Amino acid sequence: MKDKSLDFAFRYGAIIVIIGVIAFFGIKLPYFFTYSNLTDILGSISIVTFVAIGVTLSLIVDGFDLSVGATVSLTTVVTASLMIWYQQPLAVVIIVPLVIGAVIGLLNALLIVKLRIPDLLATLAMMYIIGGIHKTYAQGYTIYNHMQFPDGSKAAGEMNPTFLQIGQGKWLGMPISVILLLIAVIGVHIFLTYTKYGRQMYITGGNEEAARLSGIKVKKVRTLAYVAAGVFAAIGGIIYASKVGSGQIDAGSPLLMESVAAVFVGFSVFGAGKPNVIGTFIGSVLIGVLVNGLTMMNVQYFTHDIVKGGVLVLALAVTFYVLNRNRT
């Protein structure tokens, strides 16, 4: 009976918790179940879920990327500066941050795959380097419309109204950022589940030597996973700049832990026992619902991290207890 209860909690615990939390807040808060609030919850998790998708991809190949939060910070200020400092067209504003994210992923792969530095150490070093670069680039200032420079002059540009629609606009009542997120989640899920390359990523992460002997180019697979992690973090940075309408330094600092929490909560969704994008999305929804409900109940914001940490500990405890028991 104990084993069956644990297996049930492992498979459906996250879903049951989400339903329970939604029911609790729905009863306590009269405006919780309104369409606008529910879409606000999805909009609030769009950035962290894009970042979490990148973390998911790195974990699938048995890696881990600690630099995603710093990548968000760098691409956010670069995105804003391209419009406000340099008055660049929208295509450049979108492409340059994506290229930066891909380059960061390549550098991570160089350190991890080529030089064989442990992933945690390599991406931790990159996190500090990228953090220093983005603060140096922005000179420690938030980048905003017609900002004043230390010499007294003012920036000539401002945020492109079309660009702001990415993070602030709606289509048929649904935030555009949520639509982009759902497309990304469905697309990555199809890629990982139904394509040869997606299966190769899981095989590589499960047993790299066996994957190599079966003909899989494991170095290429791991490299592409880190590049994809950097690109998804860059997308998060672009949406962040669009949502707030400025380039804020250290914008991505809190996103790393939130994305990691979402990924590991997702381990237990439907008993997956491994990183998966649907589980990651559900983990993000759980965290978003908790934060939204606690905010509506006027719970002090600095206690939110306690709740997030508690949810993560509970998810990890159930997940790894069941996984370790099944291996013995």
Side-chain angles (χ1 to χ4, degrees):
M1 181 64 70
K2 177 182 177 183
D3 290 345
K4 289 182 178 179
S5 298
L6 281 172
D7 285 333
F8 184 82
F10 178 58
R11 290 179 177 276
Y12 306 109
I15 303 296
I16 293 172
V17 169
I18 290 177
I19 295 173
V21 168
I22 290 175
F24 172 77
F25 287 137
I27 294 170
K28 295 284 289 184
L29 303 168
Y31 300 106
F32 183 81
F33 269 127
T34 60
Y35 178 79
S36 61
N37 186 58
L38 294 177
T39 54
D40 284 345
I41 292 173
L42 290 175
S44 69
I45 67 168
S46 59
I47 299 171
V48 70
T49 308
F50 270 109
V51 179
I53 291 173
V55 176
T56 301
L57 295 174
S58 67
L59 280 170
I60 286 173
V61 297
D62 195 29
F64 196 64
D65 191 350
L66 288 174
S67 66
V68 289
T71 302
V72 172
S73 298
L74 176 60
T75 51
T76 295
V77 297
V78 168
T79 299
S81 69
L82 288 171
M83 289 177 281
I84 294 171
W85 291 356
Y86 306 113
Q87 299 89 56
Q88 293 298 307
L90 188 59
V92 174
V93 170
I94 299 295
I95 292 172
V96 170
L98 295 177
V99 172
I100 290 174
V103 170
I104 291 171
L106 278 173
L107 291 174
N108 282 330
L110 173 66
L111 297 175
I112 297 165
V113 179
K114 191 72 173 177
L115 300 181
R116 312 291 292 183
I117 299 173
D119 49 0
L120 289 176
L121 298 179
T123 57
L124 178 65
M126 285 297 295
M127 179 182 75
Y128 282 113
I129 293 170
I130 298 166
I133 289 173
H134 102 268
K135 291 174 184 174
T136 302
Y137 176 76
Q139 301 177 37
Y141 296 102
T142 293
I143 301 173
Y144 54 90
N145 291 346
H146 304 298
M147 63 178 290
Q148 185 169 334
F149 295 113
D151 63 2
S153 61
K154 290 188 175 182
E158 59 184 27
M159 301 291 281
N160 187 316
T162 303
F163 173 79
L164 293 177
Q165 287 297 306
I166 297 173
Q168 301 176 14
K170 292 186 177 183
W171 186 69
L172 299 178
M174 179 72 72
I176 293 174
S177 60
V178 174
I179 296 172
L180 295 175
L181 173 62
L182 294 176
I183 292 172
V185 169
I186 294 169
V188 174
H189 174 69
I190 292 173
F191 170 78
L192 292 174
T193 307
Y194 299 106
T195 70
K196 175 181 72 174
Y197 302 106
R199 290 190 291 270
Q200 286 182 353
M201 290 179 66
Y202 276 112
I203 295 169
T204 299
N207 190 322
E208 185 173 329
E209 183 60 19
R212 186 184 64 80
L213 293 174
S214 67
I216 296 174
K217 297 178 180 179
V218 295
K219 290 186 177 180
K220 180 180 179 181
V221 170
R222 298 195 75 201
T223 297
L224 291 177
Y226 280 105
V227 170
V231 170
F232 274 105
I235 294 173
I238 292 169
I239 296 176
Y240 194 106
S242 176
K243 187 178 288 289
V244 302
S246 62
Q248 298 185 6
I249 61 170
D250 282 333
S253 294
L255 296 179
L256 172 61
M257 289 299 101
E258 290 187 15
S259 64
V260 170
V263 171
F264 281 106
V265 168
F267 265 54
S268 63
V269 173
F270 301 126
K274 60 184 180 182
N276 65 99
V277 72
I278 297 298
T280 294
F281 174 68
I282 292 174
S284 294
V285 170
L286 173 57
I287 293 172
V289 168
L290 284 169
V291 171
N292 178 269
L294 293 172
T295 301
M296 292 182 71
M297 292 179 68
N298 295 319
V299 176
Q300 293 172 318
Y301 75 92
F302 42 77
T303 65
H304 293 181
D305 287 342
I306 300 174
V307 176
K308 294 176 190 176
V311 170
L312 178 58
V313 167
L314 181 61
L316 290 175
V318 173
T319 299
F320 286 98
Y321 180 83
V322 173
L323 290 177
N324 291 330
R325 187 200 63 191
N326 290 340
R327 290 175 185 146
T328 57

